[in-house]
């Protein structure tokens, strides 16, 4: 049984308080999930450093976790990201932590809608996923791929991931050369561009010379783009492109919340979009990174000429929609069948999973 289904069944008949551990965006999503499944929520709990006396969140009381654990038995549903196995074990060891549910809400709702891999999805795509697994270029890719699929199907919070490697610049997978030209799609506030420069500098210092000639930094959220201009003001290689990346140029509706999770939507503000092909022109693009909240396949279509012409290294997120894990590798290999594919996870939760094409 999926762990989400198991939790629903148990909590519907639970006699004591049901507490969400975490009072933020993730905690709100957990409460919405519980209410959608006819499960009451009796409050939120936070660590002592975040507790304020007589505070509330979404109309419910907020408790100090330590005080609540000392007073009465409760069921706790984890409502934050960044839980460690050690912290999980410490909570479960408390006598009054009657039940603890650490489930992968982040991976189930990566772009705000339910995106878990259902039984029907697996029946339809199981053979294609098995084929992709066999095409992965190293055993670590296969192990992390297996862990991701298992997590998506059963809902476990923890999975195997590349804990000590930087996302998009994993030295076990990718290296860089002279005159790199990067297309940073979903550039947020410039953090990935800065990390790219730092990675290239570190590689050069380690005796493998590399350099960066240009970074096209695409960001559709205007507030994020303003932050990026400030953060990259001293980076001469940076070309700020305050547009979304898609398969055509024009205008789309966009959900913008000034966070890393801004995405194409049916409603929202109107924003301009462009294609990589149109923006980079004849530039010899050597590296494309994409984390654009479910629009990766569309953006790859808009980069088709560039990929065919330049065969750049690719680092593309595949966790926003279940079908991305099938359609994105298929499309990449249709352009260059000789690409070597690698798969890596960069969080224990079901987010930040990347397909590399080298």
């Amino acid at each position: 049984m999926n762990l989400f289904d198991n939790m629903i069944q148990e909590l519907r008949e639970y006699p004591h308080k049901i507490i969400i551990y975490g009072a933020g965006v993730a905690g709100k999503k957990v409460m919405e999930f519980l209410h959608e499944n006819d499960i009451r929520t009796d409050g939120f709990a936070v660590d002592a450093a975040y507790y304020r006396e007589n505070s509330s969140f979404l109309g419910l009381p907020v408790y100090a976790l330590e005080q609540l654990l000392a007073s009465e038995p409760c069921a706790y549903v984890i409502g934050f990201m960044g839980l460690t196995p050690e912290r999980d074990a410490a909570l479960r060891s408390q006598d009054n932590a009657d039940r603890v549910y650490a489930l992968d809400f982040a991976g189930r709702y990566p772009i705000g809608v339910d995106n878990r891999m259902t039984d029907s999805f697996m029946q339809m795509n199981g053979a294609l996923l098995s084929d992709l697994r066999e095409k992965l270029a190293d055993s670590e890719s296969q192990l992390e791929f297996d862990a991701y699929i298992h997590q998506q199907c059963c809902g476990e919070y923890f999975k195997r991931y590349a804990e000590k490697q930087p996302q998009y610049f994993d030295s076990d997978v990718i290296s860089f050369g002279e005159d790199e030209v990067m297309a940073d799609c979903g550039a947020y506030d410039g953090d990935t561009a800065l990390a790219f420069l730092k990675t290239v500098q570190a590689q050069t210092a380690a005796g493998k010379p590399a350099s960066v000639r240009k970074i096209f930094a695409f960001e559709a959220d205007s507030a994020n783009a303003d932050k990026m201009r400030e953060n990259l003001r001293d980076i001469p290689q940076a070309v700020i492109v305050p547009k979304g990346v898609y398969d055509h140029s024009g205008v789309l509706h966009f959900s913008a919340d000034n966070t890393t999770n801004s995405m194409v939507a049916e409603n929202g503000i109107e924003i301009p979009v462009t294609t990589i092909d149109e923006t980079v022109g004849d530039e010899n693009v050597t590296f494309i990174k994409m984390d654009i909240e479910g629009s990766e396949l569309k953006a790859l279509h808009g980069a088709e000429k560039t990929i065919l012409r330049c065969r750049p290294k690719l680092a593309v997120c595949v966790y926003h929609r279940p079908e991305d894990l099938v359609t994105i590798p298929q499309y990449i290999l249709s352009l260059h069948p000789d690409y070597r594919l690698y798969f890596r996870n960069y969080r224990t939760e079901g987010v930040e999973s990347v397909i590399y094409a080298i």
Side-chain angles (χ1 to χ4, degrees):
M1 179 182 288
N2 182 276
L3 294 180
F4 284 98
D5 299 332
N6 186 61
M7 179 183 71
I8 291 168
Q9 181 177 321
E10 292 180 359
L11 288 184
R12 280 178 176 164
E13 301 177 355
Y14 187 69
H16 305 298
K17 283 181 178 177
I18 299 173
I19 301 295
I20 298 172
Y21 180 17
V25 174
K28 179 183 177 183
K29 176 55 67 177
V30 172
M31 188 184 79
E32 291 171 352
F33 175 85
L34 295 178
H35 286 188
E36 288 169 2
N37 288 280
D38 300 317
I39 298 169
R40 74 181 190 281
T41 303
D42 297 301
F44 296 85
V46 297
D47 295 328
Y50 303 100
Y51 176 68
R52 298 295 180 268
E53 191 171 356
N54 298 322
S55 61
S56 64
F57 182 61
L58 302 176
L60 295 174
V62 176
Y63 300 95
L65 177 65
E66 295 80 359
Q67 294 176 11
L68 197 57
L69 285 170
S71 63
E72 59 183 302
C74 298
Y76 291 90
V77 184
I78 302 300
F80 63 90
M81 294 179 67
L83 180 70
T84 64
E86 294 77 17
R87 197 172 179 184
D88 180 60
L91 177 59
R92 294 177 188 275
S93 70
Q94 300 296 312
D95 290 340
N96 278 332
D98 189 37
R99 297 181 184 180
V100 177
Y101 299 94
L103 304 184
D104 181 35
F105 283 95
R108 182 164 181 159
Y109 299 98
I111 53 174
V113 296
D114 193 339
N115 277 323
R116 72 183 171 116
M117 292 182 177
T118 61
D119 291 343
S120 61
F121 174 85
M122 291 303 297
Q123 290 170 3
M124 183 178 299
N125 295 283
L128 294 172
L129 292 171
S130 295
D131 181 62
L132 171 59
R133 184 187 188 279
E134 292 305 308
K135 291 177 179 175
L136 294 174
D138 67 347
S139 60
E140 183 60 29
S141 291
Q142 294 180 334
L143 290 171
E144 295 194 25
F145 180 85
D146 291 345
Y148 178 79
I149 296 294
H150 176 74
Q151 182 181 59
Q152 286 288 304
C153 291
C154 77
E156 283 185 2
Y157 190 99
F158 299 105
K159 71 171 181 303
R160 183 187 184 100
Y161 72 109
E163 183 176 4
K164 297 181 180 180
Q165 288 286 354
Q167 186 171 341
Y168 315 122
F169 314 117
D170 195 317
S171 62
D172 289 339
V173 174
I174 193 168
S175 61
F176 300 99
E178 299 284 3
D179 291 327
E180 293 280 348
V181 176
M182 178 190 191
D184 183 2
C185 305
Y188 185 41
D189 63 359
D191 57 345
T192 307
L194 293 172
F196 179 50
L197 291 166
K198 183 178 179 180
T199 298
V200 168
Q201 291 168 358
Q203 183 183 305
T204 299
K208 297 179 180 179
S211 62
V212 177
R213 186 163 58 83
K214 188 173 290 188
I215 301 173
F216 293 94
F218 298 85
E219 176 52 50
D221 186 314
S222 59
N224 290 341
D226 287 343
K227 294 176 185 176
M228 178 167 58
R229 286 190 185 92
E230 177 65 19
N231 293 336
L232 301 183
R233 67 186 185 279
D234 296 326
I235 307 300
Q237 302 100 316
V239 178
I240 308 300
V241 186
K243 296 181 179 182
V245 191
Y246 218 57
D247 63 355
H248 64 273
S249 294
V251 175
L252 293 177
H253 287 98
F254 201 74
S255 171
D257 58 5
N258 298 337
T259 74
T260 57
N261 295 316
S262 302
M263 57 191 166
V264 174
E266 292 184 3
N267 299 299
I269 62 172
E270 291 186 345
I271 59 103
V273 294
T274 188
T275 69
I276 288 178
D277 285 342
E278 181 176 310
T279 303
V280 304
D282 294 330
E283 281 283 0
N284 181 32
V285 176
T286 61
F287 178 46
I288 297 175
K289 162 258 173 180
M290 290 185 177
D291 186 356
I292 43 179
E293 312 308 322
S295 296
E296 287 83 1
L297 183 60
K298 291 285 190 180
L300 285 168
H301 279 281
E304 180 173 315
K305 293 178 181 178
T306 302
I307 295 172
L308 287 171
R309 176 171 57 86
C310 304
R311 199 187 178 279
K313 301 174 284 289
L314 307 176
V316 182
C317 285
V318 289
Y319 66 90
H320 296 108
R321 307 178 190 279
E323 60 268 25
D324 287 347
L325 198 53
V326 175
T327 57
I328 288 175
Q330 281 181 332
Y331 182 66
I332 290 171
L333 291 177
S334 75
L335 300 180
H336 283 289
D338 62 335
Y339 265 132
R340 289 173 289 116
L341 299 182
Y342 297 82
F343 182 89
R344 290 294 189 273
N345 302 309
Y346 293 98
R347 289 193 69 105
T348 186
E349 303 95 346
V351 294
E352 311 305 344
S353 294
V354 176
I355 278 282
Y356 291 89
I358 307 299

